[in-house]
Structure formats: C-alpha cells, structure tokens
Amino acid sequence: MGFKCLVFLLLSSMGGTYVEGELKADSGRVRVAVRLRPRNADDLLSDADFADCVELQPEMRRLKLRKNNWSSESYRFDEVFTESASQRRVYEVVAKPVVESVLNGYNGTVMAYGQTGTGKTYTLGRLGNDDASERGIMVRALEDIIANTSPTSDSVEISYVQLYMESIQDLLAPEKINIPITEDPRTGEVSLPGAAVVKIRDIDHFLQQLQIGEANRHAANTKLNTESSRSHAILMVYVRRSVHKKVEDEISSQEKVNRSDVPGGSRIPIVRKSKLLIVDLAGSERVDKSGSEGQLLEEAKFINLSLTSLGKCINALAENSPHIPIRDSKLTRLLRDSFGGSARTSLIITIGPSARHHAETTSTIMFGQRAMKIVNMVKLKEEFDYESLCRKLEKQVDQLTEEIERQQKLRKNDTDELEKRLIECQNTFAEAEKNLVTRSEFLEKENTRLELEMKDFLNELNHQKDLNVLMRDEVASLEMSLKHSKQYQLENSTCQQVLADTTQMYEKKIAELIKQLGDERARYETAGEQLDVIKKLLSESQQKIQQQKTENSTYQKALADTTQMYEKKIAELTKQLEDEHARFEGAEKQLDEAKNLLSCHQKPMQQDEIDELKMRLHEMGRHQELSVNELQSLQSEYNDLLSEKATLTEELHAVNQTLSVEEKQRKTIENELVKLKKLVLENDHDFEDKKSYVKESIGKESSAFGAPVGLHKSNPSRETISGQRATIAKICEEGKIFLILALLTSEDLDVQIHAVKVVANLAAEDINQEKIVEEGGLDALLLLLRSSKSTTILRVASGAIANLAMNELNQGLIISKGGGQLLANMASKTDDPQTLRMVAGAIANLCGNEKLHMMLKEEGGIKALLGMVRSGNSDVIAQVARGVANFAKCESRGIIQGHRKGRSLLVEDGALTWLISNCNTASASTRRHMELALCHLAQNENNAQDFKSSGGVRELKRIAAESTREDIQNLAKKTLKSTPFQAEIHAEL
C-alpha cells in the first residue's frame, strides 16, 4: 500500500495519472490510433509467397498480428485505419479533437510513431500542393485554427524545429543550432526561447513557412526508404485567444479585490494561451536492414537512442514506475507535457503489412498499447489579459493627456491675452501718470509765474498809491489856484474820492484773488498727494492681481475707466486754468488801462472822462465776479473728484476683503498641515525608513528584482502607522492632494519640509501616483531639486521621485522633464549618504527601462550612479549595484531580442572594472546584484574582449562555482559555455 502511494505521488508531481485494470473513458487519456500502409513495390516483390502478418478489424477497433499460420495476437486501439483510409478521416478522428481542445485553451499533442518508411511524414506533413485531399495533419490543423480565430483579437504563431543527433535546430532559421531547452521552475513548462517564432497571417503563409522548414530538414536515401527523415521534426503552434465573459464567474475572491483597481471593473479581458505540438518522429530502423553506414550510421544511433529513451518513459508511466527517466534525452524533455503532463495527446502509430518486418511491427504495436495506459491531467490555460487592458488604459490616458494639453494651451492663451491686456493697461496708466506729472509741473510753473506777476502787480499798485498821494497834493494846489471854479474843485475831490475807493476795492479784490490762488495751489498739492496714494494703492492692487485672476478683467476695466475719467477731469481742469490765466491777463490789461487813466488825472479831467472811468471800473468788477464763479465751479468739480476717489477706495476695500478671505483659506490649509505634522514622526529619517511595497507586475517592469528604492523597514508602532495611513487615505478620498502640493512652494521652510514628506508617503502607494503627477506633483518635486538648499528637502524629494520612478509611465515623464540630469547633478554635489541612497535608488529604477538607457547616458546618469560609490556607504553601494544589474539585464534582453547591438554602455563607463574588483567583497545582497550584472554583461559577445582583458572570465568561473543563488550559478555556467569564452577556458586548462 505504501509503495502505491509513493508511485501516485511521483506521478502527480509529473502531472500524470495511472489507471489500474482496464482503460477508463477519461478525456485526459492518451488516445492511440493505428494506420496500415498499403503494400508498395518492394513488398509485392519480397513477400509474394507470404500472406500479410497484419489483419485489421476496424469495426471492432482491433488488430490481429500473426506470428504464423496457427498463432496470432489481438490488440485493441481507439481507432484502426485500413490502407484505404483517407487523409481527411485520419485527421478528423486523430487530430481534430486535439485541435478543438487547443482552441478551447488546452495544450495538445499529435505524434506519429513507427518504423521508417511506414508513412509518418505522409500522415502528418504532407503539403498536398497538387492534390488538396492529400494534405496532412499539419496543414489541416492550421486550416481549422486559422478559421476559428479572429485576426484582430487572436494570434497564431509557429516554431518549427528538428532534433538532429541530440541537437535542436531551427528549421525556419537554419543558422540557429544547438538551441537550449528551458523549464519554468514554477510551472515546469518546457520552452525553446532561442527558436524563431513566426506569426501566421493565413494558410498560404503557413504553407510557405512549412516548405522552408521541410527544405531544411535532414533526409537521406536508405534501403528501406528513399526519403528517410534523419531527425525528429516538431511543429509548435502557439494559439492566443481572447475570451469575453463575466469576471464574477471566473476569478477568485482575491482577484475580485484586485479588480477594484480596474476602471469599469465589471469585465476584464481573459486570454487563453495554448500550445499544439505536432511531432513527426524519425523512423526506427535496424542497421542490417537499412544498410546505414558512415554519417547515416551515426544518425541512426542517435535516432534509436532518443526513441529508446521515449520508450523507457512510456514504459515507466504505464508500469507505474517510481522513476521516470525524462532527462535521458532532449526528445523526452520536449514531450514532457505530452505524456504524463497536462496536454491532450493523440498518438498515431504507422505499420507496414510486410511479414519481413514482423519484429518492428510488434514493437510499434506494443509501444502504442503502453501509451494507451497513460492518463494526462488536462488543464485549462486561461489567464487575465492584462496586456490588452493596459494598452486600452494607455490609449485612454493618451487621449486624456491630449485633452489636458489642449485645455492647458487654451488656458495659457487666455492667460497670455489677459497679461497682454494688463500690460497695455499698465502702459496706458504709466503714460497717463507721466502726462499728469507733466501737467502738474507745468501748473506749478504757471502758479509760480503768476505769483511773481502778482507781486509785481502789487508793487505797481503801491507805486500807484504814492502817485495818488502826489495827485491829491496837485489837486489841492489846483484848488488853491482855481478858486473861481469851486464847484469844479468839489467834483474833482469827489472824483478823487471815488478813485481812491476804487483803488482800495481793487487792492482788496486782488488780495482775495491771490488768497484764492494760494488755496487752489494747496488743493493741487493735496490732489497730487492723493494721486500718489492712489498710485500706491494701484501698485498694491497689481501685486494682488495674480491671485485674483477671476476678478482681473473687472478690476482692469474699472481701472481703465477711472484712468480715463481722471484724464478727462485733468484736461478740463487744465483748460479751466488756461481760461483763468487768460482772465488774469485781461485783468492785467485793465489795470494797465486804469494806470493810464490815473496818469491822465494829472491833467484836468472832464466829466465824460470820469464817467468812462466809472464804466470801466464797473466792467472790471463784473469780470471779477465771473472769476469768482469760475473758481467755485472748479471747487465743485474738485469735490466730484473726491467722491470718485471714495468710490475707488471702496473698490480697493472690496479687493482687500477678498484677499483676507484667501488668507483665511491659507491659514486653514496650514492648520491641516499642522495636524499632519503631529502624525509624522519627529525623526528626520521617518520617510527614509518607510518601505514601498510594489506589485509584482510593476516591479518586473521598473526593476529587475522587484524591489523599489531599497529602503530599510523601520519598526514604528502599529497605531502610528495606521494613523498615518488613515490620514493619507483621507487626503486622497477628499481630493486634497493639490492642497498639499500647493504647500511645497510655501516660504516657511518647516511647512515645506513636512509637505514634501507627506507627498513622499503618498507616492509610496501606487494608487496615489497618478493623482500626484496629474496635479503637478512631479514638476513641484523637480523644482525643489533644482532650487532648494535644504538637505532634508533634497533627500526626501529624491526619495519621492524614486517612488514615482517605479511606474514606467512616470519614468518617461521624469526623463523628459530633465529629471535624469537633475539627479546626476545632485549626486555630484552632495556627500550626504542618505541623500545619495535616495538618488541612487531613483536612478536604479530608471535603469530598469531599456528605452531610457541612451538618454540616461547622455545626461550623465550612468556616470553619476557609478560615482556615488565614493561615499563608501553600504546602502548606497547596494542601490548602485541594483541599478547596474537592472541596466545590464535590460541590455541583455535587448541583445537576445535582436534590437540592441554593440558594446555595453556600462562597460564604456567603467562599470565592469568596478564589478570585478568589488564582487567578492560586498555584502550578500549586493554581491548577488553584482554577480547577476556580470552574467548579463557577459552574454553580449561585444563585451567578450573586455572580460578577457580585465579578468572577468575568472570571476564568472567563481560565480558558477560559489554563488549562493542557483539561478545565478546556472546563468554563469551557460555564459561560460558560449563561444567567446571557450578559447579562454581551454587556454587556462
């Protein structure tokens, strides 16, 4: 009982199932059919006197094998084909169920086994160029697969190889020989990564590829077969089909949780990846019958050896053996999934009717009988199509990005237009201000000139007084001399009295006019001061305009109207002053006339002259009243200006109120930041010790090892961590990330430091990274790297960029915005180990993107990464080693895929010398990175000379023998077996 359990466990590990007793009708059992070849000319000649050794009973699915006329054995198969069976019937019975399974997502195998010359290649690989009815299983299978797949959503690819003398060669690319076999350590799936894979467009394309492969296949002429295949041919068909179904019916609970990250999560694309193997085995032969010798003899040995290994595996599986010799031959390794694995397998054995080959026929039939006892565990190869989903999301992101750029362009155009209008208004206001200053200066000069003229006028009036006194004396003398004209004297004295009163009145009015001019000048000075105040208020308003864009147009209009109004008022005031000046000139002329009249009083005055003088004095009084009225009008207009000033003051007060509201909002944001500060640990390294956990898929894209920046995990209390995460989650849910990003430009250094720490913690979560980039967080972080002088800010900002660099889209944005050059400059300017660790981690993540390698080199990123080892800090060196390993792995992958050629960029910058000299002295984790980097660099044949000259071959041998990682050991051994290093190894031996 214990032995059976052991055998069951062994078979389960290989994916097979053994069924005791009779064969059960299990869909996973290997189905075996037998096909009898018709007699050919050789059979008719050699067996003319003998009956056939094979008797078919197709209706009973049995075959009788005669030893002699009285003894025979009967065998049952899943199907028995007579010599007249058509190619179409053979395909529909043997291969079509397997093809249908492949289309439904299961792996499948169709294989032909039999003696040489019994029709294996005819059954499987017949092209049927002349007669379509003779087409073999290969062509018919591809016809059905292409007919049942969509060229838009599905893909069909093929590889065609041959196993010739235990060497796998590519029939579609003959230059590829000795292709290695790789096995997935997790699933055990066997693959040939070095074989050419061709995407099939239609059946004609497939026939063309099949003809190329058949032309490259080894064949020879033997006694048993004129076109004997000397190799095992394997056609591998890879089918990838998209399946549309409800996610809830197919995914686990954990996957349902992950589905929340997918927009429109009700449906996720599902893809079925299956593989169909069509195996045309070389025929078994006996040397004495085939007459093989020389090269043909060597080929026959390898053919029989591989078929023997296959037979041993079939026997072991059929007999429930505890050991399955899978690794005895490359053929058995390639067919590991076909027998005892997860594929649906159909085997067709071909035999001949000739009694001369009774032993070979018996061996073939027994091979088929044992194969029928094997039951495979058929598994559905179905997985989520995250690649197509990613492409769809990327397309949506591109569309949204274009829309954002378009909106930003429109916003920029609007901003430019507003700025242009603001500049025009500022120029207009400056010009108005300049004109106002010019006018004021002109008025001041005019006032000064008028004051001087008034002083001269007063002096003249005083002189006139003196003359009047002399005139009175002369009049008295005249009275004494003219006694006979007493009445005339009385009138003369009356005239003199009137003249004196008139002169006094003029003096009084002139004094009042001078006082009014002084008051007017004081008012002009007050108006100038008020204009200065208004200019100051306008300058302050202009400083606030940038924060009040929404009110900008209204305020500019009000400012333009106010400026225009002031210009109009100033023009009117100027005109009024000119009119007043003209009136003063008129008054001056009148005074001159009065002076002339007074001079004329020296002569005897007649009555008519006195009347004329009175009229003139009356006219001057009237003009004086008009001047007073004009001054009152100016006073009222000045009052209007004061009311307009009050209106403008109210508008400025409203602007100040708006600014105060914004100040309150800023204080509210700062209060929220203070609350966040309480949750952030006091230690400056809190952020540095926070470790980002990244999904495996992102880790594979942005880092060769799945690690982010390589930060050490701290041990804060669970309560503190949960509090921080709750706060950060609250910020994200409320959409306040932009508030935190706005604080990155705060003038308060403490506020800036805590804000960048919060942004760095947010960037550690994948779900927040897109929001941070959309809100301009990446630009703000790069600006901090460019302008900040704080060591803490530079360190934390570098760590935040390192977290963002774990996403492939963000990597391209970082490089396009000059982030690579900024990080390189930061590495050369600072000696702080923690800052260098963050910068090295960011560059290491960028090294995981092959598309950015050339730009990284041009911007000095590689040299900066290698230059950071000068610090001697183990954490910094670990990040440098990780970056070099990422870079080397991407280069190696590019060389294997054929789109990367030439000497490694790392070798050009001296990375190889550093790796070789430090590979055996670094810590265990760092050493693994260095060893992996050396192995990947060695896979580039263009680096072989550098390895030989710098001792790299010895280091590869040490890694192959002493590395603690088995996968790295295997990679080193595989690299040493390559052609460039064989001469070096033989020279050392």
Side-chain angles (χ1 to χ4, degrees), residues 454-477:
M454 292 302 295
K455 287 181 181 180
D456 294 339
F457 186 64
L458 289 174
N459 291 333
E460 290 179 357
L461 288 177
N462 290 330
H463 179 67
Q464 189 66 33
K465 279 185 179 182
D466 297 336
L467 291 177
N468 288 338
V469 173
L470 295 174
M471 189 181 296
R472 289 191 189 98
D473 294 338
E474 290 178 356
V475 170
S477 176

Side-chain angles (χ1 to χ4, degrees), residues 113-398:
Y113 178 90
Q115 184 187 6
T116 181
T118 55
K120 298 183 298 300
T121 303
Y122 175 83
T123 301
L124 294 182
R126 185 74 171 181
L127 296 178
N129 292 329
D130 299 329
D131 187 357
S133 64
E134 292 186 357
R135 289 185 172 181
I137 289 176
M138 289 184 180
V139 180
R140 294 178 184 272
L142 263 294
E143 284 180 340
D144 280 355
I145 290 174
I146 294 172
N148 288 278
T149 55
S150 172
T152 57
S153 60
D154 304 336
S155 67
V156 180
E157 299 174 336
I158 67 165
S159 293
Y160 198 16
V161 299
Q162 67 176 354
L163 179 60
Y164 176 69
M165 297 179 69
E166 282 302 301
S167 173
I168 299 178
Q169 301 176 0
D170 197 329
L171 292 175
L172 301 180
E175 67 276 4
K176 296 182 179 181
I177 59 174
N178 200 18
I179 300 173
I181 301 175
T182 60
E183 297 182 11
D184 191 326
R186 182 172 61 86
T187 62
E189 186 175 352
V190 177
S191 62
L192 300 174
V197 179
V198 179
K199 186 173 183 179
I200 299 302
R201 298 187 298 271
D202 48 36
I203 191 63
D204 293 333
H205 183 213
F206 171 71
L207 290 173
Q208 181 183 1
Q209 298 298 320
L210 196 61
Q211 287 176 348
I212 294 173
E214 291 297 328
N216 293 324
R217 188 177 179 186
H218 289 277
N221 185 7
T222 65
K223 292 181 179 180
L224 297 178
N225 189 357
T226 58
E227 294 182 0
S228 176
S229 299
R230 313 308 294 169
S231 64
H232 306 298
I234 303 175
L235 176 66
M236 292 178 283
V237 184
Y238 303 96
V239 180
R240 183 180 184 277
R241 299 189 69 193
S242 297
V243 180
H244 303 286
K245 60 172 66 176
K246 288 289 182 180
V247 177
E248 289 80 358
D249 298 336
E250 300 295 335
I251 61 176
S252 65
S253 60
Q254 181 62 32
E255 290 168 339
K256 289 182 180 180
V257 174
N258 294 337
R259 189 192 64 186
S260 62
D261 296 337
V262 181
S266 61
R267 291 180 180 271
I268 296 180
I270 298 177
V271 63
R272 288 178 177 173
K273 296 180 179 180
S274 54
K275 179 172 65 175
L276 172 63
L277 296 183
I278 302 179
V279 184
D280 181 12
L281 296 175
S284 61
E285 63 182 48
R286 291 189 177 181
V287 177
D288 56 346
K289 292 183 178 181
S290 64
S292 299
E293 59 184 10
Q295 180 66 19
L296 295 180
L297 180 59
E298 292 296 322
E299 293 173 349
K301 289 180 181 179
F302 280 102
I303 292 172
N304 291 334
L305 180 62
S306 60
L307 292 176
T308 301
S309 299
L310 178 61
K312 289 180 180 180
C313 291
I314 298 297
N315 291 341
L317 288 170
E319 295 173 3
N320 210 11
S321 173
H323 172 65
I324 312 299
I326 292 293
R327 297 188 174 275
D328 287 358
S329 171
K330 290 185 178 180
L331 178 62
T332 55
R333 290 180 65 190
L334 290 173
L335 299 179
R336 178 177 182 175
D337 194 43
S338 302
F339 294 99
S342 61
R344 190 182 303 279
T345 303
S346 288
L347 172 66
I348 181 168
I349 59 175
T350 57
I351 59 176
S354 176
R356 291 186 302 127
H357 307 300
H358 181 275
E360 289 84 346
T361 303
T362 303
S363 175
T364 302
I365 291 173
M366 294 310 299
F367 180 89
Q369 287 292 301
R370 287 189 292 268
M372 290 178 68
K373 296 180 181 181
I374 300 174
V375 179
N376 295 342
M377 299 297 292
V378 180
K379 296 179 181 179
L380 181 64
K381 305 295 182 180
E382 187 174 85
E383 61 185 34
F384 295 121
D385 190 6
Y386 290 108
E387 294 180 0
S388 63
L389 179 62
C390 183
R391 289 193 298 269
K392 181 180 178 181
L393 293 177
E394 286 177 352
K395 184 177 180 181
Q396 294 178 356
V397 168
D398 292 339

Side-chain angles (χ1 to χ4, degrees), residues 484-500:
H484 58 278
S485 56
K486 187 176 182 179
Q487 186 177 358
Y488 177 76
Q489 291 176 357
L490 291 174
E491 290 178 358
N492 189 24
S493 63
T494 302
C495 182
Q496 289 177 354
Q497 184 64 34
V498 172
L499 181 60

Side-chain angles (χ1 to χ4, degrees), residues 948 953 973-989:
K948 294 176 183 179
V953 179
K973 292 176 182 178
K974 174 184 173 182
T975 304
L976 288 172
K977 291 180 181 179
S978 61
T979 305
F981 299 111
Q982 287 297 314
E984 184 77 10
I985 295 174
H986 289 311
E988 292 182 1
L989 295 176

